[in-house]
Amino acid sequence: MTQMDYKYSLLDSTVDDYHKRPLLLQVNNTPLNLFAVLEVKRDLTKRSSTVGCKIRLYGFLFGLAIMFLIMASYVLTGDKKGLLFTPSPYHLNSLVSPGPFAFNLSSVRDYAHIKLVVKSIKSKVGFRSSRQLPELKALMRSDPHMFSVIPRKFLPGLKNPCWYEEFTGNITTDPYKMNLYGRYSRRFRTVFQHLRSTFYHHLLHRNRRLYRMRCLPYFYIIGQPKCGTTDLYDRLRLHPDVKFTTFKEPHWWTRKRFGIIRLSEGLHDRYPVEDYLDLFDQAAYQIQGELTTNISGSPSHPKIIIGKSHN
């Protein structure tokens, strides 16, 4: 017997009215006896195909509705309050008055008009008095601990401000154990691991005392976010005599020394200036050089300078 599809209808009158659709009976090529039970399977291909068509249709209609909303939000840029999405930057000139200098800001060649805008702004901004430097005594009273750690004179012959500080800690202990940057920053913990392994090799021995080199930045890059400070930072790092901290923007001057890590978290412990100076240890080691070949302790690379980026 070959494999065939047999279609039958149920003979009972009550059931015949309900099951008008034919049933698909599959019979294989094995011999059957009279009491064999045929496996009945209903053909569901038509039902699954209709469900798939409905899903594709609903998906197409949903995508069409989203596209319509986006196009409507960019067309109706005159009503800023009713927008669901950010208006197109190409339509901002219709919302903002160009003023007396109507020119294309995207054109770099329009230098003469830009100079007129700058001159107009400078004429309207009045500088009542020149900025005065604060008095040194007032600064020292504001943070006496910081001025007790940082000396007023640095090592001669160096371009970068550096000095030797006496190390009073135990040689067997971890010098970066109490640093708050290592406690709250995972990426700085990895840098500390490298600095910890080379720390005691850079200690200077003088008159039965140990000294470590400390350094401050030679220059700072200060700017608002998204104004090109990162690009300038990356370009300066390519110079062989310019070094930076272990990671960019530790925010010590602006937040950490006041105990502010994130504005939403409230106040934490203040980061002391010693923790800030630890960030420059890797650059200080490069200025100092290897003490095994330089017993005098004079820096091997006096032309290296350290930079710092602030946003």
Side-chain angles (χ1 to χ4, degrees):
M1 180 185 297
T2 60
Q3 184 174 358
M4 301 176 62
D5 294 339
Y6 295 92
K7 295 184 180 179
Y8 295 93
S9 298
L10 299 179
L11 299 179
D12 186 70
S13 59
T14 58
V15 184
D16 188 38
D17 296 333
Y18 183 76
H19 296 285
K20 288 293 185 180
R21 293 175 295 179
L23 299 178
L24 179 62
L25 303 179
Q26 296 183 353
V27 182
N28 53 17
N29 54 3
T30 57
L32 301 176
N33 54 22
L34 296 177
F35 299 99
V37 180
L38 298 179
E39 183 181 0
V40 180
K41 294 183 179 179
R42 190 176 301 276
D43 190 4
L44 300 177
T45 57
K46 295 182 179 180
R47 181 180 299 178
S48 61
S49 61
T50 55
V51 173
C53 292
K54 290 182 179 180
I55 293 176
R56 287 192 293 269
L57 180 60
Y58 292 154
F60 174 75
L61 294 177
F62 179 76
L64 191 63
I66 294 296
M67 184 182 300
F68 175 77
L69 289 176
I70 294 176
M71 293 178 63
S73 65
Y74 280 97
V75 171
L76 303 176
T77 53
D79 185 12
K80 296 178 63 178
K81 297 181 180 180
L83 292 180
L84 298 177
F85 300 93
T86 305
S88 172
Y90 301 103
H91 295 158
L92 289 178
N93 54 1
S94 62
L95 303 177
V96 182
S97 176
F101 308 102
F103 59 92
N104 186 10
L105 285 175
S106 62
S107 177
V108 184
R109 299 178 180 178
D110 205 348
Y111 182 68
H113 287 177
I114 295 177
K115 288 182 65 177
L116 289 177
V117 173
V118 174
K119 185 177 180 180
S120 175
I121 294 175
K122 290 176 64 176
S123 62
K124 295 178 181 179
V125 176
F127 298 96
R128 298 180 179 178
S129 61
S130 60
R131 184 175 180 181
Q132 297 180 357
L133 294 177
E135 296 182 358
L136 180 59
K137 293 182 179 180
L139 288 177
M140 295 180 67
R141 287 194 301 266
S142 64
D143 197 341
H145 175 70
M146 182 179 66
F147 285 94
S148 65
V149 174
I150 300 176
R152 299 185 63 178
K153 294 183 179 181
F154 304 108
L155 291 175
L158 288 182
K159 196 171 184 180
N160 197 84
C162 297
W163 69 96
Y164 276 108
E165 176 187 273
E166 184 179 358
F167 179 70
T168 58
N170 193 349
I171 300 179
T172 59
T173 59
D174 183 7
Y176 301 104
K177 182 179 180 180
M178 303 303 295
N179 192 293
L180 294 180
Y181 281 103
R183 184 181 302 177
Y184 294 108
S185 177
R186 183 179 301 176
R187 56 178 177 174
F188 197 68
R189 247 178 267 142
T190 306
V191 178
F192 271 158
Q193 186 65 31
H194 171 70
L195 295 176
R196 191 180 297 112
S197 61
T198 60
F199 178 80
Y200 298 104
H201 298 286
H202 291 86
L203 290 178
L204 179 64
H205 297 260
R206 282 290 181 272
N207 300 326
R208 297 181 180 180
R209 294 183 179 181
L210 299 177
Y211 296 90
R212 62 185 296 190
M213 177 174 279
R214 290 290 205 176
C215 294
L216 281 173
Y218 180 79
F219 66 91
Y220 289 89
I221 302 175
I222 302 176
Q224 293 292 328
K226 306 301 181 183
C227 66
T229 56
T230 302
D231 180 70
L232 181 59
Y233 169 82
D234 293 334
R235 292 174 185 271
L236 289 175
R237 287 180 61 187
L238 300 177
H239 197 282
D241 292 337
V242 178
K243 307 298 177 183
F244 284 89
T245 53
T246 51
F247 64 91
K248 186 175 177 284
E249 299 176 9
H251 300 292
W252 186 80
W253 287 104
T254 54
R255 295 203 302 257
K256 301 295 178 64
R257 68 191 185 108
F258 303 109
I260 301 174
I261 300 178
R262 296 179 182 86
L263 297 177
S264 59
E265 296 180 359
L267 295 177
H268 294 262
D269 295 333
R270 292 190 175 188
Y271 284 45
V273 65
E274 291 85 354
D275 292 0
Y276 178 66
L277 294 176
D278 288 343
L279 304 181
F280 306 100
D281 278 358
Q282 189 171 3
Y285 295 162
Q286 295 176 349
I287 295 176
Q288 185 182 25
E290 292 293 336
L291 291 179
T292 55
T293 59
N294 186 10
I295 305 176
S296 63
S298 59
S300 302
H301 304 283
K303 294 183 179 181
I304 291 180
I305 59 176
I306 303 174
K308 184 70 196 67
S309 177
H310 281 277
N311 275 355

